[in-house]
Amino acid sequence: MQIEGGKVSHWQELEQKYFMSTVERLPVTLVRGQGARVWDEDGREYLDFVGGWAVTSLGHCHPAVVEAVTEQVRTLIQVSNQFYSIPQIHLAELLVQNSCLDKVFFSNSGVEANEGAVKLARRYGKHYLDGAYEVITTTNSFHGRTLAMVAASGQPKFQQPYLPLPAGFINVEYNNIEAIKTATTGQTCAVMLEPIQGEGGVNLPDDNYLAAVRAWCDQTGILLILDEIQTGLGRTGTLFAYEQYEFEPDIMTLAKGLASGIPIGAILAKERASVFVPGEHGSTYGGNPLACAAGYATLKFIIDNDIAGNARRVGQYLTAGLERLKQKLQFITDVRGRGLLVALEFSGDIAQSVVMACLNRGLLVNRLKPNALRFMPPHIIGFDEVDEELGILDEALSTFVS
Ligand SMILES: Cc1ncc(COP(=O)(O)O)c(C=O)c1O
């Protein structure tokens, strides 16, 4: 795979020589980013609707993040979690003040946050539910790549290469409350869900599904873990997606957009579910001053500037533009999403070719499935950037009209 007029670069050859092959990379070496734009080693500019995989909430190298990180890197980068750390406490306070949760634990990534959330639910099960330990998750969910989270993610393609998987996870049909009820036993300690399934296809919950899951958890006493790693921090038009579905989780996990590119993850929990005691969970780097300074700067900017509102408005504009393309091009079969998490589905398996056609025209988009694209740009993008994206996409898609 090669970009039009491009060459296989030195870096691509070295990557093949030295790197484990876990991803089919696109033939571009990115060296610089600013806002919603990135540049490759030859100076070509791209409009970035992948956003570091739904990470760069404030865009690349946002001044608020750069300043906070620069200041922190000069002051203190790492301390052991045995000591109090001010950036960590600041970020925890801001998260609690702006969510329905009461307590925070920081990790380094999304999958670690989810692992910790499941450990927390198991501790809760030991304390309050007669040792219950099983977690019910849904088909097409994605919770990360550790063995346990592969077991949690209801997607056989991620599970098959690693069988046997850790016990304690039951994958049931998404959007089917009866399936959750049927799977619940005396061993169940929690249900774990994404409010909108991201990697699994940008799948929206049916009306009342999440409220019904909440009601079932209340009725049975089991916990509701909400994975907002992809949907959180304003991406779907509110700071957290649960706000739009009018329910509250007992445990919530965050990562991706929390520090706009600096690695961080977080477990948030209601007071009653916050049952870890010293020594039961930990992380060397989790919540270190550098990551928390970046997280605080990001979250503060998102809140103070109503970036979630921007994602809602610009997201509606993006969806309306994609709907117009759907009217024009018969092979577009669906547009779905919330805010700036949007999928475009085709009648055939052309997504990879469309990704390449966009790349050649200076636009980065994600191949969600063989027949679908996903758009997950920074939450700060404006209408002009959406117009530009729609123009390039229109041109790229028109090459597929037979
Ligand atoms: C909903 C969700 N949960 C968990 C993860 C895993 O996060 P990380 O890659 O930071 O471990 C992802 C990553 O795409 C995700 O979208």
Side-chain angles (χ1 to χ4, degrees):
M1 231 184 349
Q2 212 171 314
I3 192 163
E4 270 170 28
K7 54 188 187 315
V8 174
S9 86
H10 175 62
W11 302 116
Q12 291 166 33
E13 279 167 13
L14 287 180
E15 192 267 357
Q16 272 174 21
K17 187 167 175 201
Y18 294 119
F19 245 75
M20 291 192 195
S21 177
T22 62
V23 61
E24 280 179 29
R25 296 190 201 254
L26 291 163
V28 168
T29 307
L30 298 175
V31 296
R32 189 164 69 85
Q34 194 64 56
R37 296 187 193 265
V38 285
W39 286 264
D40 71 14
E41 59 181 331
D42 298 319
R44 267 192 227 109
E45 181 178 310
Y46 302 86
L47 182 59
D48 185 3
F49 269 55
V50 176
W53 216 279
V55 167
T56 52
S57 48
L58 298 186
H60 295 279
C61 302
H62 190 280
V65 180
V66 171
E67 272 167 38
V69 168
T70 308
E71 174 67 22
Q72 192 60 48
V73 95
R74 285 205 186 100
T75 313
L76 185 64
I77 299 174
Q78 164 75 8
V79 291
S80 154
N81 274 315
Q82 275 186 315
F83 301 100
Y84 292 97
S85 164
I86 296 167
Q88 189 176 84
I89 295 165
H90 277 159
L91 179 56
E93 184 180 35
L94 198 61
L95 281 167
V96 168
Q97 285 171 345
N98 290 280
S99 72
C100 66
L101 291 312
D102 304 309
K103 291 279 166 69
V104 182
F105 175 89
F106 290 114
S107 62
N108 310 286
S109 66
V111 74
E112 277 178 72
N114 282 339
E115 284 266 348
V118 167
K119 285 174 75 179
L120 187 60
R122 283 193 178 194
R123 285 309 284 139
Y124 186 88
K126 276 232 174 354
H127 279 295
Y128 299 116
L129 301 172
D130 261 351
Y133 66 94
E134 273 177 3
V135 176
I136 298 172
T137 66
T138 59
T139 49
N140 289 319
S141 61
F142 185 80
H143 299 294
R145 300 282 199 156
T146 60
L147 272 180
M149 287 309 108
V150 163
S153 301
Q155 299 198 51
K157 70 177 175 192
F158 294 124
Q159 298 179 335
Q160 290 299 333
Y162 302 109
L163 300 175
L165 295 172
F169 296 94
I170 300 182
N171 311 142
V172 304
E173 193 183 21
Y174 178 61
N175 263 335
N176 182 345
I177 182 63
E178 291 310 317
I180 289 179
K181 289 184 178 177
T182 306
T184 306
T185 67
Q187 298 293 359
T188 310
C189 68
V191 175
M192 181 169 174
L193 295 167
E194 297 153 85
I196 297 168
Q197 292 185 330
E199 304 302 313
V202 186
N203 305 317
L204 295 159
D206 289 345
D207 289 348
N208 297 328
Y209 174 62
L210 295 171
V213 177
R214 176 69 272 175
W216 179 246
C217 290
D218 289 340
Q219 194 180 325
T220 52
I222 62 179
L223 297 175
L224 176 49
I225 305 173
L226 198 65
D227 176 344
E228 289 241 23
I229 286 164
Q230 190 153 148
T231 53
L233 287 309
R235 175 164 299 283
T236 66
T238 46
L239 190 57
F240 304 111
Y242 72 76
E243 296 166 48
Q244 295 170 54
Y245 295 100
E246 294 175 13
F247 75 103
E248 293 186 356
D250 301 302
I251 300 174
M252 175 170 78
T253 52
L254 300 173
K256 291 195 181 283
L258 181 54
S260 206
I262 302 292
I264 192 167
I267 311 168
L268 284 78
K270 294 269 193 195
E271 186 80 51
R272 74 177 177 93
S274 183
V275 293
F276 284 144
V277 297
E280 285 186 349
H281 193 51
S283 166
T284 298
Y285 296 117
N288 92 352
L290 186 63
C292 287
Y296 183 84
T298 303
L299 183 60
K300 187 92 174 76
F301 192 93
I302 288 173
I303 293 165
D304 290 351
N305 296 280
D306 187 24
I307 297 301
N310 184 69
R312 184 168 59 248
R313 289 183 293 277
V314 178
Q316 279 163 357
Y317 188 73
L318 169 64
T319 302
L322 294 172
E323 286 288 354
R324 281 197 302 281
L325 280 181
K326 178 168 173 267
Q327 299 301 318
K328 186 170 136 185
L329 301 167
Q330 280 193 348
F331 60 88
I332 299 179
T333 53
D334 195 22
V335 177
R336 59 177 178 274
R338 277 279 169 113
L340 291 171
L341 179 59
V342 183
L344 186 70
E345 198 157 297
F346 307 115
S347 52
D349 289 349
I350 59 168
Q352 186 62 20
S353 307
V354 178
V355 166
M356 285 304 291
C358 289
L359 192 68
N360 282 319
R361 290 167 175 78
L363 172 67
L364 307 185
V365 293
N366 168 242
R367 190 204 73 121
L368 177 62
K369 295 201 279 189
N371 68 337
L373 300 181
R374 176 174 38 171
F375 309 106
M376 40 189 177
H379 312 176
I380 43 106
I381 58 159
F383 298 109
D384 287 356
E385 281 149 332
V386 169
D387 284 340
E388 189 181 337
E389 186 251 8
L390 290 169
I392 298 175
L393 192 62
D394 191 359
E395 200 189 297
L397 288 173
S398 65
T399 63
F400 291 83
V401 178
S402 48

